[in-house]
């Protein structure tokens, strides 16, 4: 397939934002002629950080208020710190953050077991709500889980039989 030039006059809406009087973003976007930063309010005081706050490399300053309930820790924290070395426009940033979330789940289960608590995984995954509102989806998940467990048992027994 070849890229062919587009005739702008044939595209509906082409150049609709060319008129600065008709562009709602114009004052913020064209701040080159203005001495101010485009804001007409004073910045609120910065929240004092009592825990480690991970900040994107795209921004010079943190927002005035940040979440501090779950600071990065453990292996998931190491993964998150590495993720914030990448730009938000790179897949590595987001994939590493998703991996850190999965690792954090495992760390939470291990932490619960270390404290003598057995986590109620079905309740934490919303099985009761799934049963009430998505029975077919729950049935499919249970069938898939059962098949995966059964396949794992079968493979382990076959491997054990091969060793004998």
């Amino acid at each position: 397939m070849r890229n062919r030039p587009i005739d702008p006059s044939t595209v509906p809406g082409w150049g609709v934002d060319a008129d600065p009087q008709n562009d709602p973003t114009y004052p913020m976007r064209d701040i080159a002629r203005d001495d101010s930063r485009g804001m007409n309010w004073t910045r609120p005081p910065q929240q004092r950080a009592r825990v480690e706050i991970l900040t994107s490399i795209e921004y010079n300053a943190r927002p005035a208020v940040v979440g501090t309930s779950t600071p990065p820790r453990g292996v998931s924290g190491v993964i998150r710190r590495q993720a914030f070395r990448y730009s938000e426009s790179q897949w590595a940033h987001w994939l590493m953050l998703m991996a850190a979330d999965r690792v954090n789940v495992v760390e939470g289960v291990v932490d619960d077991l270390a404290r003598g608590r057995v986590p109620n995984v079905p309740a934490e995954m919303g099985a009761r709500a799934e049963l009430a509102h998505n029975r077919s989806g729950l049935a499919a998940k249970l069938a898939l889980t059962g098949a995966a467990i059964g396949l794992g048992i079968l493979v382990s027994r076959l491997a054990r039989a091969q060793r004998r």
Side-chain angles (χ1 to χ4, degrees):
M1 179 167 191
R2 280 184 78 196
N3 282 339
R4 296 183 185 171
I6 297 173
D7 179 16
S9 64
T10 63
V11 178
W14 185 279
V16 72
D17 60 349
D19 179 15
Q21 300 301 321
N22 190 29
D23 184 3
T25 65
Y26 177 72
M28 288 298 289
R29 197 165 27 135
D30 191 25
I31 61 173
R33 293 186 225 148
D34 195 2
D35 289 339
S36 72
R37 294 182 53 216
M39 296 183 287
N40 59 358
W41 52 277
T42 58
R43 185 173 168 82
Q46 189 82 29
Q47 175 185 352
R48 248 187 264 147
R50 292 186 168 86
V51 296
E52 179 184 6
I53 306 293
L54 299 174
T55 12
S56 172
I57 60 175
E58 269 93 25
Y59 304 106
N60 295 330
R62 280 194 336 240
V65 179
V66 293
T68 59
S69 65
T70 53
R73 64 184 187 127
V75 176
S76 62
V78 171
I79 297 171
R80 288 180 204 284
R81 286 183 198 97
Q82 291 299 315
F84 276 92
R85 291 184 177 185
Y86 293 95
S87 167
E88 290 181 9
S89 64
Q90 293 179 316
W91 283 35
H93 176 82
W94 300 107
L95 291 175
M96 290 175 81
L97 288 177
M98 287 193 304
D101 287 344
R102 284 12 175 228
V103 169
N104 199 3
V105 169
V106 174
E107 288 174 337
V109 170
V110 169
D111 190 38
D112 282 347
L113 292 173
R115 293 180 182 188
R117 295 186 209 128
V118 177
N120 187 352
V121 176
E124 291 176 9
M125 292 180 67
R128 190 174 293 155
E130 192 100 38
L131 181 64
H133 302 287
N134 187 16
R135 287 181 186 227
S136 61
L138 180 61
K141 287 178 186 176
L142 289 174
L144 185 64
T145 302
I149 291 171
L151 185 63
I153 291 170
L154 178 66
V155 167
S156 68
R157 286 189 178 175
L158 288 174
R160 193 176 309 147
Q162 284 286 337
R163 281 186 257 160
R164 290 182 185 171

